[in-house]
Structure formats: structure tokens, C-alpha cells
Amino acid sequence: MALTDDRPVLELTAGEDAERREPLGVFRRPTATTGWRSWLTSVDHKKIGIMYGATAMVFFAIGGLEALLIRTQLATPDGQVLSEQAYNQAFTMHGTTMVFLVIMPMLAAFANYLIPLMIGARDVAFPRLNALSYWIFLAGGLFLYSSFFLGGAPDNGWTSYAPLSNNLAYSPGMGQDFWTLGLQITGIASLASAVNLIVTVINMRAPGMTLMRMPIFVWMSLVAQFLLLFAIPVITVALFLLMFDRLFGANFFNVAEGADPLLWQHLFWIFGHPEVYILILPAFGIISEVIPAFARKPLFGYPFMVFSGVAIGFMGWGVWAHHMFASGLGPVSVAAFSLSTMFIAVPTGVKIFNWIATLWNGKLNFTVPMLFAVALVSQFVIGGLSGVTHSVAPHDTQQHDTYYIVAHFHYVLFGGSMFGIFAGVYFWWPKVFGRMLSETIGKAHFWLMFAGFNLTFGPMHILGLQGQPRRTATYAEGMGWDLMNQLATWGSYLIAASFLLWIFNVVKSRANPPAGADPWDARTLEWSISSPPPAHNFDIEPTVSQLDEWWHRKYGEDDHGVIVRRDDYEWMSVVGPEEGGTSAPPPESIHLPSPSYWPIVLALGLPLIAYGLLFTYWLSALGGLVLIASVYGWSLEPSVDPDAGHGHVEPDRVDDDDDPGTAADPVAAGTTEEPS
Amino acid sequence: MSTTEQSTMVVPPGGHEPHAEHAGGGHHTSTGLSNEKMAMWTFLGSECLLFGGLISTFLLYRGKEVVSGPEVRELYDIPFTSVSSFILLMSSLTMVLALSAIQRGNHRQLRTWLLTTALLGSTFVAGQVYEFTAFYREGLGFTTNIQSSAFYVLTGFHGAHVTIGIVMLLSLFVMSHRGSLPTGRSETVEIVGLYWHFVDIVWIIIFTVIYLVP
């Protein structure tokens, strides 16, 4: 009840004698829609999406630096670049950063920006909650990184296995506590975002946008959000247990008291394996939009793509224990999880074949997004197949915790998710910022990254089979690992160079000519409105009658059944006449939710509580007060500010509720309430 | 809802707004279910996994021998906990009565039942505090052994959920008192009710699994 917003609503006429009461709360309602302040208070899903993306790119650079340190250390035997402690911190923070602070928020960026546009909605279901998710994510990320300055970063690996992580003798200092609490905080952000996006997709689709007419990206994001919804509480439980062990002396992982250390592994991987699909499914969705656009063909087997995604979502819950084959589960469990792990390759294979069938006989146009998308397909096949080798338990025992594993999951997460993310970034950049990115620099970026990636992680397969263990700070001379390690290190420098090219491309893009509404001649609704889209997304809510609605408005068949572009297609929204549209009516009656301070204030309370747990309890108390005050400030604040310049609303609703509908209703306004 | 509000709607130029007919109690949505209610259902879905994880942890350690201190099950006072469980279950009944009251437009009854529900919930939490103290006196602290940690965290999490529910009930009470919970917004009460019933159902599972099943 407290944390709810309404979808954007209609204007209501003013009462003649409207005497406006001041809303309760500490702050005046912010009104700025431009300038830096507007970013702090914005509840626009597009701005929040951009903030997610920008923040994740910064964390990508930081996580990349950590990777460079690791690779520099391993370039030669007996490397002396990092101390062992620093090495442990580098690989722990690298993994944690890339999973929780780069790929997840990157995909949240796409979901936030695109889902409302693709389903024809004005905003997400709960705009303020959406802003809160972003600020909590940022708070969690900054909290995690503040550990470097406040007593040492986490150094137990991104899986933080107990009893290494829970025992204060094995991992002294506060690094592990920073990890535990930081992930709790970002977990809240993911959960809130999952609830928000699920409700948005299920409830706020434009008329005619049935589930089977939704763009495939929306589908894959929806599955990923459901996975988040059910996976996050499991890791929350694990993190709470670990926190209670470390901070308050509980015994959940205390082996001396008879505790079972496998409990951590089970909880972690019941979360962790679905998490893998959380990281890859939206990337699958992205390239399933990119490939049809540049193959000039509809996505082959759309229903199969949907159902295979949903199947992956379900099956992702049945395979977690393949991460634990080496822990002595017993032959029955190992056989069962071997089998389920092999089965999950089936729906993934369906997707691969559907992409290939989409490319088949297409009029392929190898733009930068297309290059990244095709690279994803090929690299994911390698990563997926090396994954299937792990489902064979004897193989797994051999490869366990070697560089083969590192090669495998980088092929999936970097060669898969990150390449998909870059495909999406290049594809939707003109939509988001109104300017094209340079194709030339983009191609240089792609080829450098592609070469660097394969040079870095290809040799790791061999290193792993030769027995080089992961997470070990150095290796002795004469193991036969020198050459492959050197190659991998050079590869990582190439990736770093490609990242610099990408930044150069972004900086330079500001001077590029405007992109226009539909530069790729693409298929989904977001391309029917101007670039960048107006705050209210659509002047007129679109009505959908088929899959790829926008494409079918642009193209029809001539008398001979040949696909031709219609001359008379209708742009849906504010595309001006010079872009082929008719100018739509001005949107002054569309009432968007007002900006709010409360999300950022509320998000501030969480790191305060966490710092308090580590340093002094009065900080926690302060954080708790901030939290409670902002929850109440939030719930007393109407979601649409009557003073925002869009006309008036009935005065009664100012302190009544978020709901404009009840305002004009005499019953709702309290006039028929029993006297009390 | 009434025709009054429709007459005050400004239809935007150049477009139909499908929510117009339905503004009021619930906005027009693709499913007909309001966003708020669906959000609560979705959130409760994730809560199932939270309690699932905690209950599994408790079950894992329940059968294990403890190294120090008493086992949890030696200390159970089943009659006492049954009474406090009964009190919590009754609060679901009063919650339903509160919802029914606001749907009938009877706001005095609404406040009575909200307060009763909060009171019953508080009684349950007080019983839990008493139980914790009694266990502690018997030598079962939070850090005593694996079972005690699992027991206190599981029941403590549930107690915290009840407490948050009580705060929500009292907020509803204050809102109603201020006149900002009109009959048209009965859904707010319904959504808090969903949460409250969920917490009760979870308690039935916890009570059965940890107290009753031998």
C-alpha cells in the first residue's frame, strides 16, 4: 500500500473554488525536468534506464581494471604485481562486480528503457519504485566498493563458500561483511525492480498487445524477472544466515557445532544457477530483436523462441547441484543433476537453431549490432558446449576449479551476455540519444573486442585441461602454462583497448547527425516514435493487431505477393512531417507522474543501516529513522503533483491518495462516510 | 464507479484513453487486476521462497545432534504456542471483517476491526517475545547451537513480518481516522489483508512443521 504509484493518469478539471492544501512531507515537490537535479528526482523509466546503463558502464570499467590486474599478475610465472591478499580481492571484486553491478544492471537498463516502449505503455507500473530500485542498486554498489577504503575488500571469491566465509579466523576483517551486506542491498533493488517490471508487462500492455504479440525481448526479460523474483529471496536467506554467523555469532555454518557447510552451497546455487539465466536470457532477447532487423526477416519460430525461453526459466531451477559434483553428493543426486543439466541444453539449442534459421536466406546487413549479435551466437555455442561437458560428472571432477571453468563461464557471460549487451547498445543508441554511433569506430571496436575476447579465454580451455587452478595467485615456472597465459594476458589488453574505442565512439557521437525515428527500419513499437522519445512516450496509445506491429504498418504485399513498403503508413506518434509522419496533437492532457525526492532519500537509509552494523549501532538507528520517515513521506506524497503545471486536480485528493479517479468521486472524497 | 467522475474527465484530444471508463477503484489494466494488487501477489510469491529457505534450513538442522545446550524440541510449550497461534489465526477473521466493513461503507466498524486485528497480532508477537525469553532462561540462546540459531531466525523473521503488518494496520487506522481512506479505496485494505493472511498462512506451516511434526 505504501510503496505504490499509479500509471500516468488523465487530467481532471479544476474545482472552481479549489483551495489547495499543502501536501504533507518535509520537502517541496521537485519540479525540474531538465538539468542535473532532474536526474536525482526523475521517475521517468527512460531516464532511469539511462542511469542504470551509465552506472553499469562505469562499473564495467572498474571490473575490467581488476581483470587487467589479474591478467598482468598471471602473465608470467611467479608474478609479483599483486600480493596474494590483493589478488584475492581483485578476483573476488571482479566477479562480484561483473555479475551484480554490470550485467544485471545493464539488463535492467534495457528492460527499463525498452519494456514500456515495446508494450505501448507510458511508464512502468510504479515509477517511484522504479527510481528507488536504481538508487538502492547504486547505494549497494558504492557500499561494496567503499570496503577498499574502510578496512579491506572482500576476498573469498564471488561464491563466498562457507566455512571460509563465515569463520572469523579464516576471513578476518570486514571485507566479507561488506560483501554480505552490499549484496543484500542490491538484492532489494533487484526484487523491487522484478515486481515492478512483472506487473508492468502483465498489466500495462497496449490494447491488442496479447502475450503472444509481445516482442521477444519483453518475453525474455519477463522470464528473467520471474527468475529474479524467486531467486533473490534464496540468496537473501543465505546472506542473512552468513551475516548472523559473522556479526552475531550464530551457528548456521559453524562446523564445530555440527553445521553442514553444504547448506551454503545449496542456497547459493539454488540462487546462483537461475542467476546464470537471469544474466543470459535478456541478452538472448536483445539479439532476437537485432538479428531479424538486419536479416530483413521475421524471427523464425517466434512461439518456439518464447516457449524455449520459458522452458529454460523453469529448468534453470533443476540444475543447481551440478556446481557441487565435487562435494560428495552421492551417485543418485549426481546422476539426476547430470541428466537435468544435459536436458537444459535442449531449449537453448532450439534458440540457436532459430537464430540460424532467421539468418538463413536473409538479406544480411552486417552493421555493428548485427556483428555483436552473430558473435554472441557463435561464442555462446562454444560456451554452451563446454558447459555440457560439465554435466558429465567424471569430466567435471577433472575440470573442477580449473581455468577450463573460467573459460566456460566467460564464453557464456562475456561472449554471451556482454556481446548481447553491446549489440543492444549499438542497436538502440540512436533511439535513446537521437544520434547514430559511428559504424567505422564501432566495427573497429567489435573486431578488437572479438579478437581480444577469444585470445583471452580460448587458451584458458587448454590451461584448464592442463590443470592450472583458478583463484591461485601465481604459478611456478616449468608447468608448461607460460605461453597460454601470455596469450590470455595480451588478449585482455586488446579488450581494454576496444573499450577505449567504445568510449571514443560515445564521446564522438554527440557531433553525429540526428538518427531519425527509425534508422534501422526495424520492427517493434519503439521505432514508431521520435528519437529520443518524448517524456510521455506515445501521443496516442498504440493499438496492436499482430506481432511486429510496426513492421506490418510499414510493409504490405503488392498484387504479386511481393513485400513492398507502403507509402501511406501511419506513424504513431510525434514523428514530425519531415520524418514522414503527420504532426500529432499536442500532448498537454497527458499527465505524467511527478518527480520525487523520496526514492533517493529512502535508498540512503539502507547503506546507513549497513555501515551501522559494521561500525557503530547509532548509524543503524539513524538509517532506520531515515527509512521509516521516507516510507511515510512517500506514501503521503501524491504520485502526481497538482502543481506540476498540467492543470489542476480536485483539492481533496492532495492528502487523500495517489488515485485521481477517486478525487472527483463524492463517495471517495469522504462525503458519504459515516460521521465518526 | 459513479458517473460523476466521468463527467469531470477531460478526454485528450486526438485519442481515446482506455482507462477513462475504469478510472476510480481500479485502473484499466490488461488483466483487470489493479497494479497494486498484482504487485502484492507478486511480492508474496517471492516471500514464499524466503520462508521456504528458512524452513528448509530449520528442517536440515532439526534432525542433527547438537553439540552444546538443549535441543529446541525439548523446550516447546505446545499448549501455549497453540493458544497464540489460535490468536493469530483469529486475526485473519477480523481482517476479513475489516475489509467487509469498508466495502459496506461502515467506517466505524472498519476502524474497530483494524484495531482488533492489530491487537491480536500484537498479542501473538508478545507471546513470541515471552517464548523467546522462556527459552533463553532454559539455556537456549541465539548462539547456543545450530538448532537454536535456525529456530530464532525462522520464528524471528516471521515475528518481524507480523510486526510490519501491525504497522500497516495501524497506518490504515490512522488514515481512516483522518478521512483519507474512503469507501472507494477499500482495495488498500484488501491489499494489506493479502499480506496479513499470507503471514498467517506461513505461521500455520511453521507451527505445523517445527512444533507439531515429531
Side-chain angles (χ1 to χ4, degrees):
Chain A
M1 49 142 225
L3 306 180
T4 57
D5 286 320
D6 277 318
R7 67 185 299 181
V9 292
L10 290 177
E11 175 192 29
L12 297 161
T13 50
E16 285 293 307
D17 52 350
E19 177 201 325
R20 217 170 65 78
R21 276 183 272 166
E22 279 299 314
L24 286 159
V26 185
F27 298 122
R28 280 178 62 91
R29 198 80 197 245
T31 48
T33 51
T34 53
W36 64 271
R37 271 195 201 86
S38 72
W39 292 87
L40 298 183
T41 56
S42 176
V43 296
D44 180 358
H45 72 96
K46 295 181 290 295
K47 280 192 167 176
I48 292 166
I50 293 170
M51 291 195 285
Y52 260 117
T55 313
M57 272 298 168
V58 172
F59 279 123
F60 185 56
I62 297 172
L65 277 178
E66 285 153 357
L68 287 184
L69 284 175
I70 296 170
R71 279 319 319 168
T72 311
Q73 164 86 354
L74 294 175
T76 54
D78 302 315
Q80 298 292 329
V81 179
L82 299 172
S83 69
E84 282 167 9
Q85 166 88 5
Y87 183 84
N88 288 351
Q89 292 178 345
F91 75 69
T92 301
M93 287 304 278
H94 169 73
T96 308
T97 303
M98 288 303 186
V99 169
F100 293 101
L101 305 180
V102 179
I103 301 183
M104 279 171 81
M106 256 299 169
L107 299 169
F110 283 103
N112 262 302
Y113 199 97
L114 293 173
I115 285 178
L117 295 177
M118 283 182 159
I119 63 173
R122 295 217 192 284
D123 206 330
V124 294
F126 305 101
R128 283 184 295 176
L129 186 64
N130 200 22
L132 178 69
S133 297
Y134 169 75
W135 291 112
I136 292 181
F137 147 66
L138 183 64
L142 294 179
F143 176 82
L144 198 59
Y145 265 91
S146 71
S147 63
F148 275 110
F149 314 103
L150 298 171
D155 52 6
N156 291 329
W158 89 282
T159 53
S160 285
Y161 273 7
L164 177 62
S165 57
N166 71 306
N167 193 320
L168 294 174
Y170 302 152
S171 59
M174 282 187 291
Q176 183 59 41
D177 298 314
F178 271 103
W179 188 86
T180 314
L181 292 165
L183 290 195
Q184 297 272 42
I185 295 173
T186 57
I188 298 170
S190 302
L191 189 64
S193 175
V195 169
N196 205 343
L197 290 172
I198 288 172
V199 173
T200 304
V201 174
I202 294 184
N203 246 1
M204 302 196 37
R205 282 165 285 134
M209 176 70 80
T210 61
L211 287 177
M212 292 311 279
R213 288 176 191 158
M214 290 196 310
I216 192 79
F217 173 76
V218 178
W219 254 114
M220 293 304 106
S221 294
L222 180 66
V223 175
Q225 299 303 329
F226 268 108
L227 287 173
L228 269 174
L229 184 77
F230 295 125
I232 291 291
V234 182
I235 187 78
T236 305
V237 169
L239 292 169
F240 262 113
L241 302 187
L242 187 57
M243 181 181 91
F244 287 134
D245 265 19
R246 288 184 61 91
L247 296 181
F248 309 124
N251 299 306
F252 289 104
F253 307 111
N254 186 354
V255 184
E257 283 286 339
D260 189 346
L262 277 192
L263 175 64
W264 172 266
Q265 296 193 23
H266 277 297
L267 288 174
F268 185 86
W269 287 114
I270 290 174
F271 150 79
H273 204 86
E275 168 77 9
V276 172
Y277 297 106
I278 292 165
L279 299 175
I280 195 65
L281 279 175
F284 283 175
I286 288 172
I287 67 156
S288 301
E289 302 291 346
V290 169
I291 289 178
F294 297 111
R296 318 296 305 158
K297 277 174 67 190
L299 182 66
F300 183 86
Y302 168 86
F304 285 96
M305 287 304 242
V306 171
F307 291 131
S308 62
V310 176
I312 291 173
F314 276 109
M315 293 167 80
W317 294 93
V319 299
W320 81 89
H322 70 217
H323 295 267
M324 299 153 66
F325 281 164
S327 63
L329 288 174
V332 177
S333 319
V334 169
F337 281 99
S338 278
L339 214 59
S340 64
T341 305
M342 291 175 200
F343 277 141
I344 203 169
V346 175
T348 320
V350 167
K351 286 196 172 300
I352 303 278
F353 283 114
N354 276 332
W355 288 320
I356 294 171
T358 309
L359 293 166
W360 196 274
N361 269 342
K363 271 175 68 183
L364 304 188
N365 182 7
F366 280 101
T367 59
V368 179
M370 181 69 156
L371 287 171
F372 275 107
V374 173
L376 183 153
V377 176
S378 53
Q379 286 161 178
F380 193 86
V381 168
I382 299 174
L385 288 180
S386 67
V388 175
T389 67
H390 300 133
S391 72
V392 183
H395 270 284
D396 182 80
T397 318
Q398 186 67 25
Q399 297 148 4
H400 187 76
D401 268 348
T402 67
Y403 266 86
Y404 189 86
I405 303 284
V406 180
H408 157 66
F409 67 69
H410 278 91
Y411 262 86
V412 182
L413 291 181
F414 195 150
S417 297
M418 273 322 285
F419 273 71
I421 284 166
F422 273 111
V425 168
Y426 275 91
F427 188 57
W428 280 293
W429 188 275
K431 177 51 63 188
V432 176
F433 296 102
R435 312 263 163 187
M436 302 297 285
L437 285 168
S438 153
E439 280 284 304
T440 321
I441 308 174
K443 279 184 177 149
H445 168 205
F446 168 76
W447 285 112
L448 211 55
M449 188 162 137
F450 179 75
F453 165 78
N454 284 291
L455 190 61
T456 308
F457 300 106
M460 286 188 192
H461 290 109
I462 301 166
L463 281 175
L465 293 177
Q466 288 176 338
Q468 184 178 0
R470 71 195 271 214
R471 292 178 172 156
T472 305
T474 189
Y475 53 95
E477 230 174 321
M479 305 291 288
W481 301 340
D482 303 16
L483 175 67
M484 292 297 162
N485 270 305
Q486 265 180 28
L487 287 180
T489 303
W490 283 115
S492 70
Y493 291 161
L494 283 186
I495 299 174
S498 79
F499 186 78
L500 294 179
L501 272 180
W502 147 247
I503 298 293
F504 177 61
N505 203 353
V506 167
V507 174
K508 213 181 141 288
S509 73
R510 298 168 66 97
N512 289 354
D518 189 12
W520 310 116
D521 195 13
R523 314 181 72 86
T524 40
L525 286 182
E526 74 273 22
W527 302 104
S528 69
I529 52 176
S530 66
S531 310
H536 55 274
N537 293 356
F538 299 94
D539 281 358
I540 301 163
E541 194 174 24
T543 310
V544 178
S545 59
Q546 57 209 312
L547 183 66
D548 289 338
E549 169 78 17
W550 175 233
W551 176 269
H552 290 291
R553 290 199 190 194
K554 290 187 293 185
Y555 288 88
E557 286 182 6
D558 66 6
D559 299 337
H560 309 290
V562 179
I563 306 285
V564 290
R565 198 174 170 99
R566 296 171 200 257
D567 307 323
D568 58 339
Y569 67 91
E570 289 172 14
W571 292 81
M572 286 181 199
S573 197
V574 286
V575 175
E578 73 278 1
E579 292 187 80
T582 53
S583 53
E588 66 258 312
S589 63
I590 296 168
H591 211 145
L592 292 170
S594 314
S596 173
Y597 286 114
W598 292 116
I600 192 168
V601 176
L602 210 168
L604 193 68
L606 292 169
L608 278 180
I609 293 177
Y611 280 125
L613 287 173
L614 297 184
F615 297 103
T616 71
Y617 285 125
W618 66 265
L619 262 181
S620 293
L622 181 68
L625 277 179
V626 170
L627 211 65
I628 293 166
S630 36
V631 166
Y632 275 93
W634 177 310
S635 54
L636 293 172
E637 178 188 69
S639 81
V640 180
D641 184 34
D643 209 17
H646 291 288
H648 295 287
V649 290
E650 290 280 324
D652 277 325
R653 60 168 293 267
V654 171
D655 59 342
D656 266 358
D657 58 61
D658 290 352
D659 186 346
T662 54
D665 184 343
V667 181
T671 47
T672 57
E673 190 186 348
E674 275 194 344
S676 48
Chain B
M1 301 251 334
S2 71
T3 49
T4 340
E5 73 186 53
Q6 280 189 22
S7 62
T8 56
M9 286 285 180
V10 174
V11 176
H16 75 293
E17 257 295 352
H19 331 307
E21 316 86 83
H22 296 282
H27 298 290
H28 174 80
T29 58
S30 307
T31 57
L33 202 63
S34 79
N35 287 344
E36 288 76 11
K37 205 191 279 186
M38 183 175 288
M40 182 52 90
W41 277 113
T42 318
F43 171 69
L44 293 181
S46 102
E47 289 277 280
C48 289
L49 272 284
L50 185 86
F51 281 105
L54 292 169
I55 291 173
S56 313
T57 305
F58 182 85
L59 286 180
L60 175 69
Y61 286 160
R62 188 177 81 143
K64 289 206 176 202
E65 229 169 282
V66 297
V67 175
S68 45
E71 293 209 30
V72 176
R73 81 178 77 131
E74 293 165 12
L75 304 176
Y76 288 153
D77 183 354
I78 306 265
F80 175 83
T81 319
S82 303
V83 170
S84 72
S85 304
F86 180 74
I87 289 171
L88 188 66
L89 291 194
M90 282 306 103
S91 75
S92 262
L93 177 65
T94 55
M95 189 72 227
V96 172
L97 291 173
L99 177 60
S100 151
I102 189 174
Q103 281 170 343
R104 284 181 284 112
N106 190 336
H107 291 263
R108 188 180 290 166
Q109 267 193 25
L110 166 71
R111 286 190 284 273
T112 310
W113 289 125
L114 282 176
L115 218 51
T116 317
T117 313
L119 200 69
L120 291 173
S122 313
T123 314
F124 172 81
V125 174
Q128 204 168 37
V129 171
Y130 168 79
E131 190 186 32
F132 283 11
T133 343
F135 283 16
Y136 186 74
R137 288 216 190 91
E138 302 271 351
L140 192 82
F142 180 63
T143 59
T144 305
N145 57 40
I146 48 176
Q147 288 187 2
S148 72
S149 298
F151 173 81
Y152 284 117
V153 167
L154 171 57
T155 52
F157 255 83
H158 183 265
H161 275 76
V162 177
T163 310
I164 291 168
I166 293 168
V167 172
M168 296 202 290
L169 290 169
L170 292 178
S171 307
L172 285 186
F173 177 81
V174 173
M175 278 168 77
S176 171
H177 208 73
R178 284 165 40 95
S180 51
L181 197 64
T183 312
R185 297 204 63 199
S186 67
E187 197 189 73
T188 312
V189 179
E190 198 181 339
I191 289 170
V192 173
L194 282 178
Y195 175 86
W196 191 258
H197 296 314
F198 173 81
V199 171
D200 279 8
I201 291 167
V202 168
W203 181 253
I204 297 178
I205 297 168
I206 295 177
F207 181 62
T208 312
V209 166
I210 77 174
Y211 288 89
L212 299 185
V213 176

